[in-house]
């Protein structure tokens, strides 16, 4: 298996996990948090999608999906390309208000499609390219892609857990 296939296999698992975490939930359930300061399913899935969108757009030196349509309006937000949810306060978390599970699924689908196209063209040597010199050691493309996948998988697992809490309420 080459590196492109390995990364594609990893990222291709996410759409089904996202759908399983949100499908069938109403807007109130998507915004429900299990306790003070905790993240809702809607915020978790929005955030993981924003991280992938933000980072992959940067790697491609292109506009984020988030700002290319009315995605922000479907979440009760503005199309700020810098707002990925990182360091959100509880008030900001509560301000992410997806209109529906479909909004989350559709936004993730649009981002995943672009990511998949990017991954399909990767060669092993591409992964050694430095993409962020602000860190010591500098971050390579391979490290960045693994980091995004890890963040997305962690957050979709958290969303699935919170969904389980809703089902038992």
């Amino acid at each position: 298996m080459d590196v492109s296939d390995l990364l594609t296999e990893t990222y291709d698992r996410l759409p089904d996990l996202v759908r399983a975490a949100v499908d069938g939930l109403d807007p109130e359930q998507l915004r429900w948090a299990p306790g003070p300061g905790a993240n809702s399913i809607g915020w978790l899935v929005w955030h993981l999608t924003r991280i992938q969108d933000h980072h992959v757009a940067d790697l491609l030196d292109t506009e984020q999906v988030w700002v290319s349509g009315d995605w922000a309006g479907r979440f009760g937000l503005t199309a700020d390309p810098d707002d990925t949810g990182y360091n959100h306060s509880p008030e900001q978390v509560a301000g992410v208000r997806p209109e529906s599970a479909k909004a989350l699924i559709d936004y993730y689908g649009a981002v995943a499609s672009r990511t998949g196209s990017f991954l399909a063209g990767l060669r092993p040597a591409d992964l050694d390219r430095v993409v962020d010199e602000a860190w010591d050691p500098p971050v390579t493309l391979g490290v960045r892609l693994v980091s995004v996948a890890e963040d997305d998988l962690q957050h979709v697992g958290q969303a699935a857990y919170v969904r389980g809490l809703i089902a038992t309420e």
Side-chain angles (χ1 to χ4, degrees):
M1 178 179 278
D2 73 19
V3 69
S4 176
D5 291 341
L6 181 63
L7 287 166
T8 297
E9 176 66 26
T10 301
Y11 278 85
D12 277 356
R13 293 173 184 228
L14 283 159
D16 288 340
L17 296 171
V18 164
R19 182 176 300 282
V22 302
D23 201 26
L25 297 179
D26 63 37
E28 184 177 316
Q29 291 170 315
L30 292 170
R31 293 190 293 263
W32 178 81
N39 297 322
S40 66
I41 294 169
W43 184 88
L44 287 161
V45 173
W46 169 82
H47 170 64
L48 73 86
T49 308
R50 287 293 301 122
I51 291 296
Q52 188 178 142
D53 188 9
H54 178 274
H55 286 20
V56 173
D58 185 56
L59 295 171
L60 291 168
D61 194 28
T62 191
E63 186 175 70
Q64 296 172 31
V65 171
W66 181 249
V67 299
S68 66
D70 186 34
W71 296 108
R74 296 179 71 185
F75 292 84
L77 299 169
T78 61
D80 179 354
D82 295 322
D83 185 9
T84 63
Y86 184 72
N87 277 336
H88 262 190
S89 69
E91 294 78 21
Q92 288 172 302
V93 169
V96 176
R97 304 177 61 79
E99 67 185 18
S100 65
K102 184 172 176 13
L104 289 158
I105 292 166
D106 290 351
Y107 176 43
Y108 187 80
V111 170
S113 177
R114 186 192 55 204
T115 299
S117 295
F118 174 63
L119 295 175
L122 286 180
R123 297 166 312 189
D126 295 333
L127 298 179
D128 293 328
R129 178 173 57 95
V130 172
V131 296
D132 189 347
E133 294 187 10
W135 299 90
D136 186 19
V139 177
T140 63
L141 175 61
V143 168
R144 177 61 45 87
L145 289 170
V146 168
S147 176
V148 170
E150 179 270 333
D151 186 75
D152 282 5
L153 289 165
Q154 183 176 168
H155 288 312
V156 80
Q158 292 166 347
Y161 177 79
V162 174
R163 183 187 178 115
L165 296 175
I166 290 172
T168 62
E169 290 289 308

